[in-house]
Amino acid sequence: MTGQVQFARDIAEQILNLSDDSPRRRRTGWFSVADIYQRLGNKMESLIAFACAAAGDTEVEGDEVWDETNGLVRLLRDIGLFDAAREIHATAWYILGRLGLAEANAHRHEFMSLTIDLGQARLKDDFASELPEFLRRATECAEEELHSARSVEPQAILLAQIILWAQLAEVEVPVKTIEIFGMLLEEASGLVARLARSLSSAEPEPEALLNLHQTTEGARYADDVAHDTRFVALLSQRLLASERAQSDAATSTFAIEMISDRAVPAPGWKVTSKPLAMISSVDEPAAIAKALSLNGVSVVLLGSSARKHLIHVQWREGDGSIESEDAFSVGDFRAWSEYFPYDYGTDDETPNLFYTSTESLRLTSLPAGPILVVADTELQQLPCNILRVGDEFAGENHPMASAPSLSWLKAARENPAQTDGRKVAWISQEEKLGETLVAIKTRLADTLAEHGVELDTGPEIPEGLAGSELVIVTAHGGLGSDKKYFQRVSDEGSLVTSGGYLAAHLRNVGVVVLFVCSGGRTDKVPDAVTTVGLAKALLDQGCTAVLASPWPLDPRVTYHWLPAFLDSWAHGDTLTEANFLANRAVARGLGSEPSKCLAMTVYGDPLRTCLGSKDAIS
C-alpha cells in the first residue's frame, strides 16, 4: 500500500527460499506468498499459492488459522465469490472468539463484511440507492480503527472511493464522514494519504496521477506492471472524466497513456524483459504523439472515462484536439465484445453483420492518411481496421495500425529489434486431417521464392527463427470454449501447442505475419491493466510488429494478400502502407466483404520498413 510493490515480490521470493525446512514452514511460506499477491492484485498467483498452502501440513496455530481464513475471504471477495466469502468470513469470527480476540477486533470483522457487501452491491444497477448506508457503515468502521490507533490505510482507501461514488451519483456525503476521512488522511502514511485524497476527488489533478505513477516502485519484469498500475488506472479514468481532460489534448493523451498496455517490454530485449521507462512529465505522452504526427502518421487515442464515455484525441501534423460527439457507446462496446470479433469470421448468414454490430460504435471523424491507434486496454479489443466513421470502416480508406502504448512505440523506434535479414515461412505439411495448409503452400510457393523467403514445411515449429527479419506462420488457431482468449496453434496433423510456445520461438523477429485464425485477437485481462493474445505474446518476446487477423481467417485471403504485401514492403513502403495495399488486393480478388479485405491488421511499429529495401529508414 506504500508503493513498494517490487520489494513485496522480493519478500515473497525470499520467504519461499526460507521455507524448505519443514512442512509447517512451507505452509506458512505459501500462505505468505498468497497474502502478498492478493494485496498486489494478482489473483491468479494468489490462488495458486493458497492451493499450495492448503495441500501441505494442516497443523497450524489459532492465530495462523485466523490469518489464513481472513486472507482467503479477501481473495474470494476479490474474484466475486461473495457467498463463499461470507461463509468463510463467519468461520473467521468463530476463530476470533476461540482466541479471545472477538471483542477487540469486532470493527475489523465488520469492515471485512462491509467490503464483501460493497463488492457485490457495485454490480447492481441501483447501487446509488445503497450508498448512504455504505457511507454510514464505512464511517463507523473508520472511527473504530482511529480509536484503536492501528492501521488506517485500508479504511482511508475504501472511504475515499465511496465518497467519490457518492459525489458522482449526487448522493450527499455526511459532514461526519468528511471529518473522519480527514482524520484518516492525517494518520495514514504519506503515499496512501495522497492516493486516498486523489481517489476521493471527481476532478483529480494530472500532477497527482503523475506523482502516484512515479512513486510506485518500478517492477523488475514487464508483466508485473499490469497489476502495479491498478490505482493509476482508477485515477486515469477519473481524470478522463474531468473538465480539464475534456478540453486539453495533452492531459487526455497523458490519461489514456496511463491506461494503455504498458506491461510490454521494449522490442529487442536480450535477457530480461525490462519494463518501459516511467513517464517523466504530464506532457511527455503528448510530445511522443506530436512527434509521430510530424513523421507521416496521425495518432488517434481512445479511452473510456469513469463516466463510461469515450474520450477521443487526435494528433495531426503536430496539433492535438479533443473530438466530441462520437456516436460511440461504451456499454454497447462491452456487449459487442461478448461475441466479436470472433463472429465476424464465422457468421456468413447475418446480412450486413459488420454494419449492424457497429452501429453504436462510430467515431465522428478520422485524420487523413496513415493512422496509429493507441487505446486503453479494454478498447484495444476493437480492431483498428473496423473503427467506423459514418458508413465506412477506417481500414477501407486509411493505412491503419495499433500499438500497445505510446511509450512502447517510442522505445521501438529508438531501439528497434536488430535482425539478421533472414526471411522464413513455416507451413506444416503433415497431412492427416485436412488439406487447407497444403493448398496455401501450393499457392504461395512462387511468391515466397520470388522474394527470397525460405520455406519450411516440417511438422514442428522450426528452430533458429529468432532474430529473423520476417517470419510467416501458417497454421490453425484456436480460442477457449467461450470463444475468447487465444489458446492453441495446430497443424492438420499431430502438432498442437500453445501460442506462448510459438512466440518463444520467434524472439526478436522484426516482423511476424500470422496466417492463423484469431492470431491478431486482443482480450483484456480481467482486473489487470494489460491484454493477452498471440500478437501481444509476440510483442512480449521482443518482436517489432505483427500482422494478423483478429477473427477466423478465410484461407483464400493468404494468396491474394501476401504477393501484394511483399511487393510493397520490398519497395520501401511502411508496414501500414504495405498492409493497406495488400488488403485492397484482397478486395479486388475476393470482394469488399470486411471479414476478408479488412482482416489483416498491423500491431506494433507502423513505420517499420523492410531491412535492405531501397527506401528503408533507420
Side-chain angles (χ1 to χ4, degrees):
M1 296 194 74
T2 60
Q4 299 181 76
V5 288
Q6 185 55 51
F7 185 41
R9 284 187 289 268
D10 292 343
I11 290 175
E13 184 174 348
Q14 181 67 2
I15 286 172
L16 286 183
N17 288 335
L18 296 173
S19 299
D20 276 344
D21 293 349
S22 68
R24 181 79 171 273
R25 289 172 67 86
R26 283 195 290 272
R27 180 186 178 97
T28 302
W30 278 116
F31 165 70
S32 299
V33 172
D35 187 46
I36 289 170
Y37 274 88
Q38 182 274 328
R39 296 176 190 276
L40 287 167
N42 192 332
K43 302 177 184 61
M44 183 61 72
E45 294 287 347
S46 183
L47 280 168
I48 292 171
F50 261 116
C52 291
D57 192 349
T58 58
E59 292 186 7
V60 290
E61 298 293 336
D63 55 345
E64 293 176 320
V65 172
W66 186 86
D67 281 336
E68 293 186 15
T69 302
N70 200 47
L72 185 56
V73 170
R74 284 188 274 111
L75 182 57
L76 292 171
R77 173 202 66 194
D78 290 352
I79 61 179
L81 297 176
F82 302 110
D83 290 340
R86 288 191 183 92
E87 182 179 349
I88 298 175
H89 185 46
T91 302
W93 179 247
Y94 170 73
I95 294 169
L96 279 176
R98 289 186 58 185
L99 295 172
L101 298 173
E103 183 178 353
N105 290 276
H107 64 287
R108 289 197 179 89
H109 188 80
E110 168 56 25
F111 180 74
M112 184 66 74
S113 297
L114 167 64
T115 65
I116 297 171
D117 294 344
L118 183 61
Q120 189 166 27
R122 285 276 291 158
L123 303 177
K124 300 178 182 178
D125 293 335
D126 61 346
F127 171 60
S129 65
E130 300 185 40
L131 279 169
E133 177 63 12
F134 282 119
L135 283 167
R136 181 194 65 78
R137 291 174 63 185
T139 302
E140 289 180 356
C141 287
E143 192 172 20
E144 289 283 349
E145 193 65 45
L146 284 166
H147 289 157
S148 71
R150 294 187 182 179
S151 174
V152 300
E153 281 78 8
Q155 283 80 1
I157 295 295
L158 185 72
L159 192 55
Q161 295 183 79
I162 300 176
I163 288 172
L164 176 69
W165 294 330
Q167 292 173 345
L168 295 177
E170 298 182 350
V171 172
E172 183 178 358
V173 179
V175 173
K176 183 177 181 180
T177 297
I178 300 299
E179 292 175 350
I180 292 296
F181 182 60
M183 296 170 65
L184 291 173
L185 296 181
E186 292 178 1
E187 295 293 327
S189 64
L191 179 64
V192 173
R194 290 193 297 271
L195 172 60
R197 187 175 287 107
S198 297
L199 287 175
S200 68
S201 173
E203 298 271 336
E205 293 294 325
E207 291 77 15
L209 174 58
L210 178 66
N211 179 266
L212 177 61
H213 167 66
Q214 294 179 335
T215 53
T216 300
E217 187 180 12
R220 182 170 293 112
Y221 303 109
D223 56 355
D224 285 324
V225 174
H227 300 283
D228 295 347
T229 56
R230 63 195 187 281
F231 287 128
V232 169
L234 281 174
L235 283 187
S236 298
Q237 290 184 311
R238 289 168 186 174
L239 177 57
L240 279 178
S242 69
E243 291 184 5
R244 177 169 173 177
Q246 294 177 35
S247 61
D248 180 56
T251 299
S252 287
T253 299
F254 169 65
I256 293 173
E257 173 68 6
M258 290 291 95
I259 47 177
S260 65
D261 197 345
R262 293 176 49 82
V264 187
W269 60 271
K270 301 299 182 183
V271 179
T272 301
S273 59
K274 294 183 179 179
L276 300 167
M278 283 192 172
I279 300 296
S280 61
S281 70
V282 172
D283 293 331
E284 181 183 335
I288 300 172
K290 179 178 180 179
L292 287 166
S293 71
L294 292 171
N295 197 25
V297 57
S298 297
V299 179
V300 169
L301 297 109
L302 303 173
S304 172
S305 76
R307 296 183 183 274
K308 300 181 182 179
H309 295 156
L310 180 75
I311 306 300
H312 173 189
V313 188
Q314 293 186 9
W315 288 89
R316 295 170 285 188
E317 299 179 349
D319 294 324
S321 62
I322 307 290
E323 302 299 308
S324 59
E325 300 181 5
D326 287 319
F328 193 102
S329 166
V330 173
D332 287 352
F333 163 75
R334 290 171 179 167
W336 172 94
S337 65
E338 291 296 314
Y339 304 98
F340 300 102
Y342 178 80
D343 280 5
Y344 289 141
T346 61
D347 189 337
D348 296 325
E349 300 178 357
T350 304
N352 300 316
L353 179 62
F354 274 82
Y355 296 94
T356 57
S357 62
T358 58
E359 188 63 26
S360 57
L361 306 179
R362 291 180 292 158
L363 304 180
T364 302
S365 65
L366 285 173
I371 296 173
L372 168 74
V373 178
V374 174
D376 69 38
T377 52
E378 183 179 21
L379 292 172
Q380 284 185 24
Q381 297 175 113
L382 181 61
C384 62
N385 271 354
I386 61 170
L387 287 174
R388 185 172 162 189
V389 179
D391 291 330
E392 297 181 332
F393 295 105
E396 294 177 317
N397 302 305
H398 305 270
M400 300 292 296
S402 64
S405 69
L406 289 169
S407 299
W408 179 90
L409 186 55
K410 180 176 183 286
R413 300 299 299 156
E414 292 178 347
N415 185 32
Q418 301 300 309
T419 67
D420 55 19
R422 289 179 300 139
K423 301 174 183 177
V424 184
W426 174 55
I427 309 176
S428 175
Q429 295 293 277
E430 187 179 359
E431 301 176 44
K432 286 185 179 180
L433 301 176
E435 299 183 353
T436 301
L437 302 185
V438 177
I440 292 174
K441 178 258 181 182
T442 302
R443 297 293 295 266
L444 293 182
D446 291 343
T447 297
L448 297 174
E450 177 185 348
H451 288 274
V453 180
E454 174 189 345
L455 176 60
D456 188 307
T457 59
E460 300 290 337
I461 301 172
E463 298 293 333
L465 295 177
S468 300
E469 172 65 12
L470 172 68
V471 173
I472 302 168
V473 175
T474 304
H476 295 294
L479 306 181
S481 58
D482 57 356
K483 305 306 179 185
K484 297 180 181 180
Y485 302 104
F486 190 93
Q487 289 195 348
R488 65 187 180 278
V489 175
S490 61
D491 64 2
E492 291 169 338
S494 58
L495 175 67
V496 179
T497 190
S498 68
Y501 185 76
L502 171 64
H505 280 73
L506 302 178
R507 287 276 288 110
N508 289 331
V509 170
V511 176
V512 180
V513 174
L514 295 175
F515 293 138
V516 177
C517 289
S518 301
R521 180 189 176 96
T522 296
D523 286 285
K524 187 184 182 304
V525 176
D527 302 316
V529 192
T530 191
T531 62
V532 290
L534 181 54
K536 164 69 185 304
L538 288 162
L539 296 184
D540 284 342
Q541 289 292 334
C543 299
T544 300
V546 181
L547 294 95
S549 171
W551 50 76
L553 183 67
D554 188 314
R556 294 173 297 171
V557 169
T558 60
Y559 40 83
H560 288 277
W561 185 90
L562 188 61
F565 170 78
L566 290 176
D567 284 343
S568 175
W569 199 44
H571 282 83
D573 288 337
T574 65
L575 284 178
T576 45
E577 293 167 335
N579 182 60
F580 179 66
L581 294 174
N583 281 341
R584 282 193 164 182
V586 174
R588 290 193 298 271
L590 298 177
S592 58
E593 171 59 33
S595 65
K596 300 177 181 63
C597 69
L598 296 180
M600 296 302 288
T601 306
V602 179
Y603 304 87
D605 183 358
L607 300 176
R608 188 176 179 97
T609 53
C610 180
L611 184 65
S613 68
K614 64 179 183 179
D615 298 317
I617 57 176
S618 61

